[in-house]
Amino acid sequence: MILTCYYCNKDLPSNQMKRCSRCLLVTYCSKECQAISWKASHKQNCKIHPSIASPTDPDKPVSKAERPKKSTPEWVDLEMDRALSRWLQLWRSCFRSWTIIALDLANHPPERVMTHCMQLIVQPHNIEGDPAKRYHVVQASVVSISDVQAVWPELHVSIDPTDFRCLRFVVILQDDNGEARRLRLVHWNDLNVDQWRKIDKASSASLGGPESGWAQALMDAVASRSPKEVEEMLGKNRA
């Protein structure tokens, strides 16, 4: 399986990637990327995965020998998180591109990147042999970060009032009954933000405004196309 570095977006086989030993959710192509990411933002958001937290100190992981045994409820929870991480790694680049489109920056003040984010609600969609189709997006929208935090008070969002290039999207995983099971926050600094603020207002609205249909286009693309096809559609050339 090919995984993507959480910091630099480099793609490598899974056996060449390093996984964060605390949250078990993000992967890196090198120790250098892991160290830079930790200092930049991951330190603020990384939490010990509940399934490997020490019963006496939740801020410390248990040893590998003490970790959940296969098929136990704790193991199932861990596998759920890993599956969501794998799916997100495949789609992360596309969702980053869609975030900057959906925020419609040319028609809003610069502070919009600090107050709003793209929100995706996803549900299981098990298609054997295709990890990119493990989940499908049932709702896409732009929401205020404060509204997300009101529903998920444990979510910590670090906002630098001087950073106008940091973008965010959140993914909420629901079960088949529509009950929320997981929330994942992704944030990054995008050097293209200034360009998107300067494009023609009508063009920005036609791509990401309320009447643009971007949300349905995203849901349809995730359902019917591969991540590579969607990246090409969005004009995203990854290194």
Side-chain angles (χ1 to χ4, degrees), residues 162-178:
T162 66
D163 189 352
F164 293 92
R165 293 180 175 177
C166 185
L167 303 178
R168 301 167 179 85
F169 71 82
V170 295
V171 175
I172 298 174
L173 171 62
Q174 295 181 340
D175 59 22
D176 292 328
N177 298 317

Side-chain angles (χ1 to χ4, degrees), residues 77-88:
D77 272 351
L78 183 55
E79 287 301 300
M80 179 193 302
D81 278 337
R82 285 176 172 170
L84 182 60
S85 291
R86 287 193 289 267
W87 182 82
L88 262 178

Side-chain angles (χ1 to χ4, degrees), residues 20 142 188 218:
C20 176
V142 172
W188 70 100
L218 183 155

Side-chain angles (χ1 to χ4, degrees), residues 37-73:
S37 176
W38 179 258
K39 292 180 181 179
S41 62
H42 191 53
K43 181 179 181 179
Q44 299 169 346
N45 297 287
C46 181
K47 295 182 179 179
I48 298 292
H49 193 278
S51 67
I52 64 167
S54 168
T56 57
D57 188 349
D59 291 328
K60 291 184 179 181
V62 297
S63 67
K64 289 186 177 181
E66 298 175 286
R67 292 186 180 183
K69 305 301 181 183
K70 189 173 182 179
S71 299
T72 62

Side-chain angles (χ1 to χ4, degrees), residues 173-190:
L173 171 62
Q174 295 181 340
D175 59 22
D176 292 328
N177 298 317
E179 181 181 348
R181 298 292 305 277
R182 293 288 188 278
L183 178 140
R184 198 71 58 82
L185 168 69
V186 179
H187 58 103
W188 70 100
N189 279 81
D190 197 316

Side-chain angles (χ1 to χ4, degrees), residues 2 10 46 49 81 84 102 104 120 124 134 141 153 180 205 213 225 227:
I2 301 299
K10 183 177 182 180
C46 181
H49 193 278
D81 278 337
L84 182 60
D104 188 18
L120 304 178
R134 179 69 182 265
S141 60
R225 297 172 180 259

Side-chain angles (χ1 to χ4, degrees), residues 31-236:
K31 290 183 178 179
E32 290 74 17
C33 275
Q34 187 170 11
I36 295 172
S37 176
W38 179 258
K39 292 180 181 179
S41 62
H42 191 53
K43 181 179 181 179
Q44 299 169 346
N45 297 287
C46 181
K47 295 182 179 179
I48 298 292
H49 193 278
S51 67
I52 64 167
S54 168
T56 57
D57 188 349
D59 291 328
K60 291 184 179 181
V62 297
S63 67
K64 289 186 177 181
E66 298 175 286
R67 292 186 180 183
K69 305 301 181 183
K70 189 173 182 179
S71 299
T72 62
E74 294 80 9
W75 180 86
V76 171
D77 272 351
L78 183 55
E79 287 301 300
M80 179 193 302
D81 278 337
R82 285 176 172 170
L84 182 60
S85 291
R86 287 193 289 267
W87 182 82
L88 262 178
Q89 286 199 330
L90 292 171
W91 287 104
R92 189 164 61 125
S93 180
C94 299
F95 294 159
R96 284 169 52 162
S97 296
W98 244 305
T99 298
I100 199 169
I101 291 171
L103 287 175
D104 188 18
L105 297 176
N107 290 297
H108 292 87
E111 294 79 11
R112 184 165 173 80
V113 299
M114 303 176 193
T115 60
H116 289 74
C117 64
M118 182 176 76
Q119 176 178 277
L120 304 178
I121 297 178
V122 306
Q123 292 182 350
H125 185 58
N126 296 316
I127 296 181
E128 293 295 331
D130 189 350
K133 303 302 179 186
R134 179 69 182 265
Y135 303 100
H136 64 136
V137 182
V138 298
Q139 182 180 321
S141 60
V142 172
V143 299
S144 72
I145 294 173
S146 60
D147 284 348
V148 178
Q149 290 180 301
V151 178
W152 300 82
E154 69 275 17
L155 176 66
H156 172 70
V157 182
S158 177
I159 298 178
D160 180 349
T162 66
D163 189 352
F164 293 92
R165 293 180 175 177
C166 185
L167 303 178
R168 301 167 179 85
F169 71 82
V170 295
V171 175
I172 298 174
L173 171 62
Q174 295 181 340
D175 59 22
D176 292 328
N177 298 317
E179 181 181 348
R181 298 292 305 277
R182 293 288 188 278
L183 178 140
R184 198 71 58 82
L185 168 69
V186 179
H187 58 103
W188 70 100
N189 279 81
D190 197 316
L191 299 180
N192 295 315
V193 166
D194 293 337
Q195 296 178 18
W196 280 88
R197 288 195 177 105
K198 295 176 182 178
I199 70 172
D200 178 74
K201 291 180 181 294
S203 297
S204 180
S206 69
L207 292 170
E211 306 300 324
S212 66
W214 71 266
Q216 189 61 53
L218 183 155
M219 292 186 286
D220 292 344
V222 173
S224 62
R225 297 172 180 259
S226 69
K228 182 178 180 180
E229 289 172 334
V230 175
E231 287 177 10
E232 292 174 351
M233 180 184 74
L234 294 171
K236 181 74 172 180

